[in-house]
């Protein structure tokens, strides 16, 4: 699958992306690969603004017709903003996972945590390996 | 893991495969919503080879099935089918199934996939116990393949391919005919709430039937449809799924199978069911739709005024209705449409209200 994962951001092993806004916050969402596996996202449970999250702990829930999946926070911190548009248009995640389909903005507790995430190239290799294993 | 004769075709069509009751089955080819909509608006083609077919025939077959099945089979005509359940001595549902009368004392029982072996063992045991020596029970499941074509365009796709007339074929009637020289049994029936047909043929050449229908339906918008959309289609139309909405701990009166349970005759479990009818059921399966945001799923708990009162059996986002819907067991006092209930979705409580089943009804033409 010819997925292009933008190289302006970092990626988690659980298929989230984090874009460093340079102001102590990151914007996060799920990757194109993740939305492709889920297909037809019909519901997103967003966190409350102000909620405290830990790195790689659940911050949101996305549901397709068939399945329920946790979305993990790529960093520890406070939820600063959520993408309310997803309440009425959860399909934005399918249509534009790296843009209009963003899920939340998080104020980082510990910016050094970003080092535990992957660059786009490494993430692309990881999902290709996962796909090979499935065959 | 078991595979149907169509497995290689699913792979070539790019299907995503899941384990369904020990079978490798396609859950979706494109997306659940696209396949669901194709079936509602045009036509869908389904691999149903995994389901079981058990022939019951010979002298005494009718009398035997009158004892095994909840449905009264008296007056059933050749070429018609009836929906029924089998119940345990305690009145619990062993399976829900359709009964085709092929000819006098020759019935074909179509069972769910995961329950076929259990059904077969149950029937054989009862036959021996009750001394029906003239009755023959034959597992035809491996020899028979099955595909369903469902949706408003299904008749237009199928009719030109079939030697005999299917246009005048009534709902829950069937004929034995051929599709391009391949012998098939075609019934007008299904599990989607749309007009449609269930087609049975030899497992060896069911692939040719599948290919023929897929090619013939392409310019009418027919798509192959996986189990994902099969589930949303059946739920919108108010059909229950064995193992989800009922099992051996549930009686037909507690779910929506009172109408297939003839308590004027004696069958296995009928004593208990008559008693339950008199005393009233303690839980009842109802439909609900979500009022708050969220999707209720199988196993989520139902609350009323802070007390746990029941459990969700099926729940999904319904593509045609455009709402989150489901079925749940509630006390009979809460079964009336309009009654509000709370469903715990993860850590939150979400409001829902009881509604009538089905959630979706096609416009009859």
């Amino acid at each position: 699958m010819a997925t292009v994962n933008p190289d302006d951001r970092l990626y988690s092993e659980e298929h989230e992306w984090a874009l460093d806004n340079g102001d102590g916050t990151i914007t996060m969402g799920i990757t194109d690969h993740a939305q492709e596996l889920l297909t037809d996202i019909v519901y997103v449970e967003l966190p409350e603004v102000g909620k405290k999250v830990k790195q790689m702990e659940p911050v949101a829930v996305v549901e397709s017709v068939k399945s329920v999946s946790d979305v993990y926070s790529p960093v520890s911190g406070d939820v600063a903003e959520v993408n309310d548009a997803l309440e009425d248009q959860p399909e934005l995640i399918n249509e534009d996972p790296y843009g209009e389909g963003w899920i939340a903005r998080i104020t980082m507790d510990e910016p050094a945590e970003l080092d535990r995430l992957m660059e786009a190239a490494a993430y692309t290799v990881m999902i290709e390996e996962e796909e090979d294993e499935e065959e | 893991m078991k595979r149907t004769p169509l497995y290689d075709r699913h792979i070539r069509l790019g299907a995503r495969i899941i384990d369904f009751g020990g079978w490798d089955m396609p859950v979706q080819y494109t997306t659940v919503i696209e396949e669901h909509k194709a079936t509602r608006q045009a036509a869908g083609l389904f691999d149903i080879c995994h389901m079981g077919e058990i022939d019951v025939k010979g002298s005494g077959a009718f009398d035997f099935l009158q004892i095994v099945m909840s449905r009264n089979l008296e007056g059933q005509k050749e070429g018609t089918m009836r929906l029924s359940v089998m119940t345990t001595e305690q009145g619990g549902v062993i399976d829900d199934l359709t009964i085709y009368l092929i000819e006098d004392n020759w019935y074909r029982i179509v069972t769910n996939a995961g329950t076929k072996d259990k059904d077969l063992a149950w029937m054989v045991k009862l036959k021996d116990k009750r001394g029906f020596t003239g009755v023959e029970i034959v597992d035809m499941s491996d020899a028979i393949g099955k595909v369903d074509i469902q949706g408003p365009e299904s008749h237009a796709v199928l009719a030109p391919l079939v030697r005999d007339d299917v246009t005048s074929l009534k709902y829950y009637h069937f004929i034995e005919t051929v599709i391009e020289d391949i012998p098939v049994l075609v019934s007008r029936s299904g599990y989607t709430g749309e007009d449609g047909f269930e087609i049975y043929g030899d497992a060896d050449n069911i692939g040719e039937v599948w290919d023929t229908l897929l090619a013939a339906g392409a310019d009418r918008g027919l798509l192959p449809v996986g189990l994902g959309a099969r589930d949303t289609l059946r739920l919108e139309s108010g059909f229950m799924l064995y193992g989800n909405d009922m099992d051996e701990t549930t009686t037909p009166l507690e779910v929506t199978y009172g109408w297939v349970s003839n308590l004027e005759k004696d069958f296995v479990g009928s004593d208990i069911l008559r008693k339950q009818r008199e005393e009233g059921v303690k839980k009842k399966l109802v439909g609900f739709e979500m009022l708050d945001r969220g999707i209720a799923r199988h196993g989520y708990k139902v609350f009323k005024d802070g007390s746990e009162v029941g459990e969700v059996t099926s729940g999904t986002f319904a593509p045609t209705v455009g709402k989150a819907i489901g079925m749940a067991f509630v006390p009979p006092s809460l079964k009336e449409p309009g009654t509000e209930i709370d469903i715990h979705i993860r850590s939150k409580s979400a409001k829902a209200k009881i509604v009538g089943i089905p959630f979706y009804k096609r416009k009859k033409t």
Side-chain angles (χ1 to χ4, degrees):
Chain A
M1 208 60 68
T3 308
V4 177
N5 299 303
D7 58 12
D8 59 353
R9 61 197 76 194
L10 298 166
Y11 297 84
S12 78
E13 287 180 7
E14 300 289 343
H15 310 288
E16 289 84 17
W17 56 263
L19 177 66
D20 189 348
N21 296 316
D23 59 355
T25 72
I26 57 120
T27 300
M28 62 147 307
I30 65 169
T31 67
D32 186 54
H33 179 69
Q35 71 75 22
E36 215 173 75
L37 289 179
L38 288 163
T39 69
D40 291 339
I41 292 168
V42 292
Y43 178 69
V44 183
E45 188 176 288
L46 295 165
E48 308 259 325
V49 170
K51 181 187 162 91
K52 291 205 174 299
V53 290
K54 286 237 155 54
Q55 188 175 36
M56 297 324 288
E57 286 188 358
V59 62
V61 175
V62 289
E63 298 195 34
S64 67
V65 179
K66 289 291 290 175
S67 66
V68 183
S69 308
D70 281 325
V71 176
Y72 299 93
S73 179
V75 295
S76 305
D78 299 337
V79 175
E81 190 185 355
V82 295
N83 185 3
D84 292 326
L86 297 177
E87 295 207 344
D88 292 327
Q89 293 173 276
E91 67 275 12
L92 288 174
I93 295 181
N94 292 121
E95 289 162 7
D96 189 11
Y98 294 122
E100 297 290 310
W102 66 279
I103 291 173
R105 198 159 59 81
I106 295 168
T107 306
M108 289 184 279
D109 284 346
E110 190 52 68
E113 282 181 344
L114 291 174
D115 295 343
R116 296 183 206 156
L117 302 175
M118 279 175 272
E119 302 277 349
Y123 177 70
T124 303
V125 169
M126 188 193 92
I127 57 180
E128 279 169 3
E129 282 174 357
E130 274 185 8
E131 278 170 10
D132 287 346
E133 277 170 25
E134 279 167 24
E135 277 159 29
Chain B
M1 199 68 70
K2 285 179 277 190
R3 289 177 175 176
T4 79
L6 304 175
Y7 177 81
D8 291 342
R9 285 173 170 82
H10 303 320
I11 299 299
R12 283 203 294 277
L13 287 164
R16 202 174 288 175
I17 304 291
I18 55 153
D19 171 7
F20 181 77
W23 291 81
D24 271 334
M25 295 299 290
V27 63
Q28 61 190 49
Y29 301 85
T30 56
T31 79
V32 172
I33 290 182
E34 192 176 332
E35 293 165 24
H36 180 107
K37 287 186 172 161
T39 308
R40 288 267 181 262
Q41 290 157 13
L45 187 64
F46 302 73
D47 176 3
I48 311 297
C49 294
H50 59 310
M51 281 178 68
E53 293 87 11
I54 299 171
D55 278 9
V56 177
K57 52 187 178 182
S59 160
F62 166 79
D63 293 329
F64 172 65
L65 289 178
Q66 282 290 74
I67 289 170
V68 177
M69 297 292 173
S70 66
R71 191 75 184 266
N72 191 352
L73 302 179
E74 230 168 80
Q76 184 175 4
K77 292 191 171 61
E78 285 176 20
T80 66
M81 54 194 281
R82 286 185 180 179
L83 183 63
S84 181
V85 295
M86 289 197 297
T87 48
T88 63
E89 301 282 357
Q90 290 74 40
V93 180
I94 296 170
D95 202 3
D96 60 338
L97 13 77
T98 49
I99 303 169
Y100 289 67
L101 179 58
I102 294 178
E103 58 184 59
D104 195 29
N105 274 331
W106 180 6
Y107 295 87
R108 179 158 296 161
I109 318 283
V110 180
T111 77
N112 282 294
T115 48
K116 188 263 290 172
D117 291 337
K118 175 181 87 164
D119 295 352
L120 187 66
W122 173 256
M123 282 194 262
V124 169
K125 194 178 111 188
L126 269 178
K127 171 184 117 77
D128 294 344
K129 199 168 138 191
R130 305 279 181 130
F132 282 95
T133 49
V135 173
E136 203 187 339
I137 299 173
V138 190
D139 183 3
M140 302 292 288
S141 308
D142 289 343
I144 294 176
K146 176 177 188 272
V147 295
D148 290 2
I149 181 169
Q150 301 276 302
E153 293 290 324
S154 55
H155 170 263
V157 175
L158 182 66
L161 304 170
V162 181
R163 185 191 61 201
D164 299 280
D165 172 41
V166 291
T167 305
S168 59
L169 192 63
K170 290 190 196 128
Y171 188 61
Y172 263 52
H173 283 60
F174 67 90
I175 51 168
E176 290 177 85
T177 181
V178 298
I179 293 177
E180 307 214 315
D181 297 332
I182 300 169
V184 287
L185 186 157
V186 176
S187 65
R188 196 159 207 161
S189 52
Y191 193 52
T192 61
E194 299 298 328
D195 184 21
F197 302 87
E198 298 182 85
I199 302 167
Y200 302 82
D202 285 345
D204 291 339
N205 52 26
I206 198 72
E208 289 168 56
V209 175
W210 170 275
D211 294 341
T212 303
L213 291 169
L214 203 56
D219 55 7
R220 288 187 181 271
L222 175 141
L223 290 183
V225 179
L227 292 181
R230 186 168 164 84
D231 193 49
T232 54
L233 288 159
R234 70 94 191 165
L235 186 50
E236 270 188 353
S237 309
F239 294 112
M240 293 174 284
L241 174 62
Y242 191 84
N244 259 52
D245 305 307
M246 76 199 122
D247 56 28
E248 290 189 14
T249 68
T250 326
T251 75
L253 306 184
E254 293 164 342
V255 296
T256 59
Y257 277 151
W259 70 278
V260 302
S261 306
N262 185 308
L263 299 181
E264 312 311 311
K265 69 160 190 171
D266 282 320
F267 60 94
V268 178
S270 60
D271 286 347
I272 300 265
L273 294 175
R274 274 190 284 267
K275 192 159 167 271
Q276 193 179 44
R277 185 180 58 178
E278 274 165 36
E279 292 174 355
V281 295
K282 293 198 171 56
K283 59 176 181 177
K284 185 71 191 166
L285 192 75
V286 294
F288 66 83
E289 67 177 52
M290 298 304 300
L291 298 174
D292 285 339
R293 297 178 65 249
I295 301 170
R297 307 274 184 181
H298 178 82
Y300 289 10
K301 305 291 185 215
V302 176
F303 290 75
K304 179 72 180 176
D305 302 327
S307 309
E308 187 180 323
V309 292
E311 193 167 293
V312 173
T313 59
S314 284
T316 192
F317 173 78
T320 309
V321 178
K323 291 173 184 165
I325 60 163
M327 294 182 190
F329 278 114
V330 297
S333 59
L334 300 177
K335 72 174 185 187
E336 290 311 315
T339 308
E340 285 195 14
I341 52 173
D342 300 309
I343 298 175
H344 275 206
I345 299 180
R346 291 176 287 280
S347 55
K348 286 178 203 148
S349 174
K351 278 199 190 324
K353 77 168 181 200
I354 310 298
V355 296
I357 291 174
F359 307 93
Y360 161 85
K361 208 163 179 156
R362 83 181 136 105
K363 291 184 191 79
K364 298 261 161 109
T365 46

